[in-house]
Amino acid sequence: MKITLNHGKFAKYLQYASRAVSQKPNIPVLSNVKLEVSKNDLKLSATNLEMGINMWIPGIVDKDGSVTVSAKYIADFVSAINDDKVELNFDDNVLLVKTAKSKANFSIIPANEFPVLPKLPEKKLFSISSKELIKSLDKVIFSCSTDLSAGKIQQSGVMFELNDDTEKEISFIGLDGFRLSKRSVEVIDLNKENVSYQIIVPSKYLNELMKIVSDSPSVDLINVYLSENKSQIIFQFEDIEFSIRLLEGPYPDYKRIMPDSYSYSFEVKKSDLEDALKVIS
C-alpha cells in the first residue's frame, strides 16, 4: 500500500475519524482507523459500532492495500507536522507516514478484523439543506433526555417523523419528560415508504454530525438513507458518509402531551422575553 495525499485534508479527516472510534474498546481494532487505498484515492473508516464514518481523499496511488492503525496516534502525528504532502507506505507489518521533513512508524492491526460499515442503498430517504438540518437539530436536541435506562432510552434520541398532511415535510422531535421541542421542515425527494414508521436517532451522535457539517461550509445538500436492514441511518454529503445506529422501541406519544386548547394567548418581542428571563433566572 502506497499513496501520496494532501496534508490539510488528511489531517482534517483524521480528526473527524477520531470522534467515531471507541476510547476504551473491548475489541482493540475499534480504537483504530482503517486506511484503504484503491484506484486513485484513500478511504478512511472509523466506528464504535454505534456510529461510523467513511471518507474519501484523492491521492497519487502507487500500490493498493488496506490496514488499520491507532486513530489517536496517527491523528496526533499528522496534525503536528507542517508539509503540503503526506506519503503513506505499508510494508512488513509497519505503516510508514512521512513528509519532506518528518516520518513515523505505526504498528497495525490487519484490516480484515475491522467491522463492516453499512453500504449506501440505491434509494435515499430524503435530501435536506445542510442549513435546515443544523437549524432543526439545534432546536430539538437540547430537549432530549440524557437518561439511558431501560424504558427511557428512546427519549435520548431525536425522532424523525413524516407529516401525514404533506408530501415533502419531515418533523424533528425531542423530549425528556419536562421539555418538548418540535420543528418541521421541507425536504427534497421524500421516500414515504421508508418513513412509515418511527426513526429514532441518538442525539449524542447527531451532535457529532452537526460539528462535521458546520465545519464544511461548502456543503449545501445532505442525502439521507436507511441501511438495507433499517437499523442505521446514513447521512451522505460530498465525500463523507456518516452512519448512526437507530434506537429501538416505541417513542412516547408526544401528541398527547400537546394541549388541544388553551385559555390565554399572547405575543411578545423575542429580545424583551430573553432579557426578562435573564433577570428572573
Side-chain angles (χ1 to χ4, degrees):
M1 183 187 94
K2 187 175 181 181
I3 186 172
T4 303
L5 304 164
N6 173 272
H7 168 261
K9 192 164 190 177
F10 187 43
K12 181 179 180 180
Y13 280 14
L14 281 174
Q15 292 301 322
Y16 292 166
S18 297
R19 298 173 182 171
V21 300
S22 296
Q23 300 303 318
K24 296 180 179 179
N26 294 324
I27 307 174
V29 76
L30 292 181
S31 64
N32 283 14
V33 59
K34 183 180 178 182
L35 311 174
E36 183 176 355
V37 176
S38 60
K39 295 183 179 179
N40 57 359
D41 61 20
L42 167 71
K43 180 182 177 183
L44 273 175
S45 303
T47 183
N48 60 7
L49 299 183
E50 298 298 323
M51 172 180 73
I53 187 168
N54 287 323
M55 298 165 287
W56 285 263
I57 305 173
I60 302 173
V61 177
D62 291 328
K63 186 178 179 181
D64 294 355
S66 60
V67 70
T68 78
V69 63
S70 168
K72 172 177 170 49
Y73 293 153
I74 191 171
D76 286 349
F77 173 71
V78 173
S79 64
I81 59 181
N82 187 20
D83 282 293
D84 294 333
K85 301 294 181 180
V86 179
E87 180 183 299
L88 307 181
N89 191 352
F90 172 60
D91 195 17
D92 294 332
N93 290 325
V94 174
L95 177 68
L96 172 64
V97 181
K98 68 177 182 178
T99 67
K101 300 177 182 179
S102 309
K103 66 179 180 180
N105 292 327
F106 296 90
S107 300
I108 60 94
I109 296 178
N112 58 10
E113 296 186 25
F114 195 81
V116 177
L117 295 180
K119 293 183 179 180
L120 211 62
E122 292 184 5
K123 293 183 178 180
K124 61 185 174 184
L125 188 61
F126 60 86
S127 297
I128 185 173
S129 159
S130 59
K131 293 181 180 178
E132 288 296 336
L133 178 64
I134 291 176
K135 188 175 181 179
S136 297
L137 294 178
D138 187 55
K139 296 291 185 183
V140 301
I141 283 181
F142 77 94
S143 291
C144 294
S145 174
T146 56
D147 188 351
L148 302 181
S149 59
K152 293 187 177 181
I153 190 172
Q154 292 80 14
Q155 297 179 34
S156 69
V158 174
M159 184 172 76
F160 293 23
E161 181 185 55
L162 169 68
N163 291 345
D164 296 331
D165 56 346
T166 179
E167 293 290 329
K168 54 180 181 178
E169 194 173 75
I170 287 282
S171 290
F172 301 89
I173 299 102
L175 56 80
D176 64 358
F178 298 95
R179 300 172 295 187
L180 187 155
S181 300
K182 175 182 177 181
R183 186 173 193 268
S184 300
V185 63
E186 285 192 0
V187 296
I188 305 169
D189 300 329
L190 177 62
N191 184 348
K192 295 186 69 173
E193 295 179 1
N194 280 336
V195 286
S196 58
Y197 61 97
Q198 296 177 341
I199 298 174
I200 311 172
V201 189
S203 60
K204 62 182 292 187
Y205 300 130
L206 287 173
N207 270 320
E208 296 297 332
L209 172 67
M210 290 173 63
K211 292 175 185 176
I212 294 176
V213 175
S214 299
D215 196 33
S216 306
S218 60
V219 174
D220 180 50
L221 201 65
I222 296 178
N223 299 313
V224 183
Y225 299 80
L226 279 181
S227 62
E228 292 185 2
N229 59 7
K230 313 297 184 187
S231 66
Q232 299 191 57
I233 190 169
I234 307 168
F235 300 86
Q236 184 273 325
F237 48 97
E238 292 189 337
D239 44 21
I240 297 176
E241 294 176 4
F242 191 98
S243 58
I244 304 174
R245 186 171 300 279
L246 300 178
L247 294 174
E248 298 180 355
Y251 195 78
D253 186 2
Y254 75 93
K255 294 180 180 178
R256 295 180 59 184
I257 302 173
M258 303 296 290
D260 295 326
S261 60
Y262 52 86
S263 301
Y264 303 100
S265 175
F266 66 91
E267 293 184 2
V268 62
K269 192 175 179 181
K270 179 173 176 284
S271 59
D272 289 345
L273 180 59
E274 288 176 337
D275 290 343
L277 289 174
K278 289 178 182 177
V279 173
I280 295 301
S281 62

